[in-house]
Amino acid sequence: MTFGFAPHPTTSLTTATGGASRHGRVLEPAEWTAAGIPLLSNPREVVSGLHSRHSPVPSTAVIAVLGPEERLVASASFVQRSSSADGWEYRNALLSRLRRIIPHDLRRRTPVRTAVLMYCREGDERWTEEDGAWMWGLRDACTLHGLRCGAYITLTRGGWQVLGEGRGGRSPGSESRPERLGSVPPELAPLTLSTAGGAAEPLRRTAAR
């Protein structure tokens, strides 16, 4: 499996009138790597666990908060569809879910918990501008919620990869069937939240004990 950051010719979402790049709401791979994002000690275990809990399909984002030793504290998944890759929009969506599943850590001098993001999408494993917008959104959401910014993981037909690290695998992928975790306690069951417009919004949340 080959990993790289070459922009895909069909995935650039910058328009002549501006777009995410014009507003600086996209992080390039080099910027992400230079930010010193902490490495996951066992990325396969994290990916497999989130995939089993949330069964993501393309356009699904899974935000997870990890405690010491990469123990899952809480996670939520949601479908995010947008006509343009805008880190500001993605940041707001992530921050909204974080506020639902876990209290902020803004009073701490140093973050003790880490947020990671797994995004299931179409296409191959190469970096896209949409990935850059999610990276920008994750970093900003973590800052505003008092969390350490962790890994950004993509899930495609070819498998999963941790962008910026060159680590990945063929399973699970966007078309994989989730492995059974056993009986699901009440706090791990799907929730239904109401949006500002009153429409029901499905949100899957997990809270590890």
Side-chain angles (χ1 to χ4, degrees):
M1 189 171 185
T2 304
F3 300 104
F5 294 118
H8 197 284
T10 62
T11 52
S12 178
L13 298 175
T14 304
T15 65
T17 57
S21 294
R22 183 170 67 89
H23 297 290
R25 296 170 184 167
V26 170
L27 286 180
E28 298 287 340
E31 295 176 295
W32 182 256
T33 302
I37 305 299
L39 301 180
L40 290 170
S41 62
N42 194 338
R44 184 182 300 276
E45 182 176 312
V46 172
V47 172
S48 297
L50 294 179
H51 184 266
S52 297
R53 285 177 169 83
H54 296 280
S55 306
V57 297
S59 298
T60 301
V62 181
I63 181 71
V65 179
L66 307 178
E69 300 181 358
E70 295 185 1
R71 176 178 175 272
L72 179 65
V73 177
S75 65
S77 63
F78 59 97
V79 174
Q80 183 74 17
R81 292 188 175 92
S82 177
S83 58
S84 63
D86 189 340
W88 182 275
E89 179 181 341
Y90 294 166
R91 187 281 305 271
N92 291 341
L94 292 170
L95 190 58
S96 173
R97 272 69 183 189
L98 286 171
R99 287 169 173 167
R100 285 171 168 85
I101 63 174
I102 197 167
H104 68 74
D105 278 346
L106 294 172
R107 290 187 177 89
R108 294 183 179 272
R109 291 185 176 181
T110 304
V112 297
R113 295 182 291 194
T114 303
V116 300
L117 176 62
M118 184 172 76
Y119 184 56
C120 183
R121 61 167 173 77
E122 301 287 358
D124 57 30
E125 72 277 2
R126 290 178 292 179
W127 180 90
T128 69
E129 191 170 275
E130 183 181 25
D131 293 326
W134 277 114
M135 290 171 168
W136 189 97
L138 175 62
R139 186 184 66 175
D140 215 42
C142 288
T143 298
L144 294 174
H145 207 63
L147 301 172
R148 181 187 295 112
C149 180
Y152 173 69
I153 304 159
T154 57
L155 201 66
T156 62
R157 287 185 180 185
W160 59 272
Q161 73 156 325
V162 184
L163 265 70
E165 296 185 20
R167 294 191 293 173
R170 295 188 180 278
S171 181
S174 60
E175 298 180 335
S176 301
R177 298 183 63 178
E179 297 180 2
R180 184 175 177 82
L181 284 175
S183 57
V184 181
E187 66 268 24
L188 304 189
L191 302 178
T192 300
L193 300 179
S194 295
T195 62
E201 175 191 7
L203 173 68
R204 292 181 63 83
R205 179 184 69 180
T206 69
R209 295 186 178 186

